[in-house]
């Protein structure tokens, strides 16, 4: 395999199971979408996976006569992939820090339905101290289902003003 760290390979492969993913994300059921991180290279890219089940509440009600995985949930899975890559490329969030989506552009090509396994590949576009710009795509069986471009910012919770929660 190549010694180029930007290429995914067995030599540079890193992965995360569901339990480890929960150490990188503050999201929990029903808002935690990623099942696995298949591979990542800090500062370069991350490949994640989610499997769509008919048992997911959002799928059961969207729509009962023809189940479709909501595009908003796919967008959130993309953002969660970015949150993980942001942290492994810089540092873990402190207890008093949050990541916020600054902006997201998305384009959807095909619906995602129960039984589909979605693979999300994201790449770093630009990485600053407290801002992360990234883009990527989601595929099912190598067929593109969505493309995204987004940015995240890292902020201290206290800097967000009065907390109503």
């Amino acid at each position: 395999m190549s010694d180029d760290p930007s290429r995914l390979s067995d030599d540079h492969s890193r992965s995360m199971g569901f339990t480890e993913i929960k150490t990188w994300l503050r999201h929990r059921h029903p808002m935690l979408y990623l099942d696995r991180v298949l591979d990542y290279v800090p500062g370069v890219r991350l490949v994640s996976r989610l499997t769509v089940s008919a048992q997911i509440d959002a799928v059961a009600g969207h729509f009962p006569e023809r189940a479709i995985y909501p595009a908003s949930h796919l967008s959130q899975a993309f953002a969660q992939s970015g949150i993980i890559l942001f942290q492994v490329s810089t540092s873990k969030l402190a207890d008093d820090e949050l990541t916020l989506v600054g902006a997201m552009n998305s384009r959807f090509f095909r619906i995602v339905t129960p039984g589909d396994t979605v693979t999300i590949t994201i790449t770093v576009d630009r990485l600053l101290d407290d801002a992360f710009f990234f883009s990527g795509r989601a595929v099912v069986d190598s067929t593109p289902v969505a493309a995204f471009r987004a940015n995240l910012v890292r902020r201290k919770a206290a800097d967000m003003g009065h907390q109503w929660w």
Side-chain angles (χ1 to χ4, degrees):
M1 287 279 149
S2 169
D3 289 327
D4 179 359
S6 66
R7 294 184 48 88
L8 298 178
S9 70
D10 293 336
D11 295 337
H12 297 24
S13 179
R14 299 177 190 179
S15 62
M16 294 181 199
F18 185 72
T19 300
E20 186 176 356
I21 287 170
K22 291 190 300 184
T23 69
W24 292 97
L25 296 173
R26 301 233 168 94
H27 304 80
R28 293 297 179 261
H29 176 80
M31 294 302 293
L32 180 54
Y33 297 108
L34 303 179
D35 296 318
R36 184 162 302 190
V37 171
L38 301 175
D39 206 349
Y40 66 93
V41 177
V44 179
R45 78 175 60 147
L46 180 138
V47 180
S48 60
R49 179 166 287 162
L50 68 98
T51 302
V52 177
S53 168
Q55 302 307 310
I56 298 171
D57 290 341
V59 171
H62 188 261
F63 298 94
E65 68 281 357
R66 180 173 290 179
I68 297 171
Y69 190 68
S72 59
H73 291 243
L74 191 57
S75 297
Q76 181 63 31
F78 173 78
Q80 289 177 7
S81 298
I83 292 167
I84 294 172
L85 184 56
F86 188 12
Q87 291 180 85
V88 300
S89 299
T90 57
S91 63
K92 266 195 167 187
L93 290 173
D95 289 343
D96 65 340
E97 288 182 314
L98 303 167
T99 52
L100 304 169
V101 174
M104 181 182 292
N105 294 319
S106 53
R107 182 169 179 177
F108 300 94
F109 307 116
R110 178 177 100 63
I111 62 171
V112 175
T113 60
D116 285 345
T117 298
V118 181
T119 302
I120 300 169
T121 302
I122 64 170
T123 56
V124 174
D125 294 332
R126 190 170 42 177
L127 180 58
L128 306 170
D129 289 338
D130 62 352
F132 178 61
F133 299 81
F134 61 109
S135 56
R137 58 190 277 158
V139 300
V140 172
D141 296 328
S142 73
T143 300
V145 296
F148 302 93
R149 182 173 299 278
N151 71 294
L152 298 167
V153 294
R154 180 188 294 237
R155 295 286 185 260
K156 293 213 177 280
D159 295 342
M160 301 304 298
H162 179 71
Q163 305 303 310
W164 292 100
W165 59 84

